[in-house]
Amino acid sequence: MNISVPRRVTAVAALAALALAGLTGTSATARPAEAAGAAAAPDISLAAVKQHLTDLQSIATSNGGNRAHGRAGYKASIDFVKAKLDAAGYTTSLQTFTTSGATGYNLIADWPGGDPNQVLMSGSHLDSVTSGPGINDNGSGSAAILETALAVSRAGYQPSKHLRFAWWGAEELGLVGSKYYVNNLATTERSKIKGYLNFDMIGSPNPGYFVYDDDPTIEKTFKDYYAGLGIQTEIETEGDGRSDHAPFKNVGVPVGGLFSGADYTKTSAQAQKWGGTAGQAFDRCYHSSCDTTANINDTALDRNSDAIAHAVWTLSAGSTTPPTGKVFENTADVSIPDNGAAVTSTVNVTGVTGNAPSNLAVGVDIVHTYKGDLIVDLVAPDGSVYNLHNRTGGSADNIVQTYTVNASSEVANGAWKLRVQDKASADTGYINAFKLTFP
Ligand code: TRP
Ligand code: ZN
Ligand code: CA
């Protein structure tokens, strides 16, 4: 949804930026987050967020109706989110722990780049209770931060701060996953986390708009966003410390977040400002089997998803690489010797300033009768190797595919090579074309 947000730099906005800079110890160079050159957050597609919810619902349905800790539906949820992040260029890791006699998983995804000493982290619990699929609690937060992370990749966003996203396990058993993460973080690593944003239940069917009342800068960032939409907010009071921000807050990390309500009842004053039904719970399906894709208010999910992207962009204050739109291609055929030495096709990149992007598009067009024979690498000008294909796909023909490579640590200009080696005898082929697109 396209909701316009005021982008003016007001004295108040400048003060907010200074407050955050104070939080991060860089006040000497503080600039308003939305000053010229800073990138505005993209609009987050409601349809994309809802598609993730549909996928999480399917995972629950095919795994006994839930995505709870220790059940197959939880691990399948983790694998689903991880695959999307890996494909988008994130560095992901699974942290395992044991609780209630089962292995639990936290998924941590780092966006390469930004100041490693200043981390902005966003998290949501991915587990459900055993009684239902957990779509509002907490597919909603999980899907929204996933889509925000994917938007970071699509934009080739280069934040000043380092961005990290987390999907927590076993929240429903007492914040087990997030406590495990915080307890196992060295104090030096902990002190690098300049803010933690938590999203647990953000699409409640009878929604309220609650903002956590913790770090003032984070709180103000969310409140300003809603003020720009003309929506009133309230402070979150439905059990402070009942979600994964609590372990961070307890060790002194500045925290914040959004919440659309669980089993508390909406008052008539709240129904007047937000619509919906007074005298009814914000989420009548809280922790029950009816917490399905039908248990979502689209407007709340949409606004909250956009608010998350706004906060991630504003609080990490970076710029988007100016688009170059440059394409470099080599269409000369290079035959690949059967079960033989590696061959290469080269493109010479010129006229691109600085480093290659985090989302370099590598177009591979290889004609071959057995792709399972082939190892395909992208080789950067300095010799760094990025593997694109490693003998998967069996007897299928050809590799015609665009790979997204995080090449942000490589200088853009120079000779880039597509290197192909055939490692098994009988089938043969040739490189048809090799293309690099600098978005
Ligand atoms: N964390 C709770 C759950 O998953 C939901 C919840 C209740 C909550 N009160 C909250 C989440 C306040 C955030 C803030 O069941
Ligand atoms: Zn929850
Ligand atoms: Ca072969």
Side-chain angles (χ1 to χ4, degrees):
M1 219 166 235
N2 290 298
I3 296 165
S4 78
V5 184
R7 302 270 173 226
R8 288 173 302 126
V9 178
T10 60
V12 176
L15 276 174
L18 283 165
L20 181 71
L23 188 87
T24 61
T26 57
S27 54
T29 55
R31 290 163 65 229
E34 296 185 349
D43 179 79
I44 299 298
S45 154
L46 173 64
V49 177
K50 289 188 75 177
Q51 182 59 53
H52 302 322
L53 293 181
T54 300
D55 292 336
L56 291 173
Q57 174 73 63
S58 307
I59 287 170
T61 303
S62 52
N63 287 285
N66 67 64
R67 302 182 301 99
H69 167 73
R71 308 294 182 93
Y74 182 70
K75 184 55 166 40
S77 301
I78 284 279
D79 293 344
F80 162 74
V81 174
K82 184 176 185 297
K84 301 228 175 248
L85 294 162
D86 286 337
Y90 278 81
T91 305
T92 59
S93 66
L94 273 189
Q95 182 179 45
T96 60
F97 53 89
T98 306
T99 194
S100 300
T103 303
Y105 304 87
N106 291 328
L107 170 62
I108 310 295
D110 284 273
W111 181 239
D115 181 348
N117 295 315
Q118 299 194 42
V119 178
L120 178 67
M121 193 163 180
S122 305
S124 292
H125 76 84
L126 186 58
D127 64 313
S128 72
V129 290
T130 52
S131 48
I135 297 304
N136 185 38
D137 181 15
N138 183 31
S140 62
S142 296
I145 67 166
L146 171 59
E147 193 52 30
T148 300
L150 299 179
V152 164
S153 166
R154 275 185 225 111
Y157 182 40
Q158 299 192 334
S160 302
K161 290 199 185 65
H162 177 80
L163 295 180
R164 181 174 301 155
F165 294 87
W167 287 262
W168 307 118
E171 186 270 356
E172 300 290 3
L173 301 181
L175 321 179
V176 179
S178 54
K179 281 180 184 165
Y180 185 85
Y181 177 82
V182 170
N183 289 340
N184 286 280
L185 208 52
T187 42
T188 49
E189 291 307 309
R190 186 189 283 173
S191 66
K192 293 175 184 171
I193 304 177
K194 302 306 176 189
Y196 171 76
L197 312 179
N198 193 63
F199 306 101
D200 182 2
M201 305 184 71
I202 60 162
S204 305
N206 185 26
Y209 292 88
F210 298 101
V211 176
Y212 298 6
D213 175 23
D214 293 295
D215 177 70
T217 302
I218 298 172
E219 181 184 348
K220 186 177 187 318
T221 304
F222 285 123
K223 283 182 169 173
D224 285 350
Y225 186 78
Y226 288 101
L229 300 183
I231 294 161
Q232 292 172 266
T233 59
E234 288 186 14
I235 299 307
E236 187 287 304
T237 54
E238 197 173 340
D240 208 11
R242 267 178 71 185
S243 192
D244 299 299
H245 56 296
F248 288 88
K249 184 177 171 172
N250 291 341
V251 298
V253 173
V255 304
L258 299 175
F259 179 54
S260 57
D263 50 359
Y264 282 25
T265 302
K266 187 180 268 191
T267 65
S268 47
Q270 289 172 328
Q272 255 157 42
K273 61 176 144 184
W274 295 325
T277 313
Q280 212 173 73
F282 295 103
D283 183 355
R284 288 196 288 177
C285 290
Y286 176 61
H287 285 185
S288 63
S289 59
C290 59
D291 186 9
T292 65
T293 47
N295 190 44
I296 289 289
N297 179 285
D298 285 0
T299 305
L301 183 65
D302 187 23
R303 289 169 174 167
N304 287 331
S305 300
D306 290 344
I308 292 169
H310 170 79
V312 167
W313 256 258
T314 306
L315 296 171
S316 65
S319 62
T320 299
T321 338
T324 67
K326 289 197 168 135
V327 179
F328 303 88
E329 187 168 23
N330 185 341
T331 56
D333 292 359
V334 179
S335 76
I336 306 164
D338 189 24
N339 197 10
V343 292
T344 59
S345 171
T346 303
V347 298
N348 289 300
V349 173
T350 54
V352 180
T353 358
N355 278 13
S358 50
N359 57 345
L360 179 64
V362 183
V364 174
D365 182 347
I366 296 171
V367 177
H368 198 279
T369 49
Y370 199 102
K371 70 198 278 188
D373 285 5
L374 301 176
I375 297 175
V376 182
D377 297 312
L378 173 71
V379 184
D382 72 351
S384 307
V385 176
Y386 297 82
N387 180 255
L388 305 175
H389 174 91
N390 193 357
R391 304 201 55 185
T392 53
S395 63
D397 286 350
N398 308 332
I399 301 176
V400 182
Q401 198 173 324
T402 300
Y403 298 87
T404 304
V405 172
N406 181 352
S408 57
S409 64
E410 307 295 337
V411 172
N413 288 339
W416 292 76
K417 291 181 162 61
L418 184 73
R419 185 173 70 190
V420 183
Q421 186 170 18
D422 181 328
K423 298 285 279 182
S425 54
D427 290 271
T428 58
Y430 60 97
I431 303 175
N432 197 30
F434 165 42
K435 180 162 85 172
L436 292 179
T437 306
F438 288 73

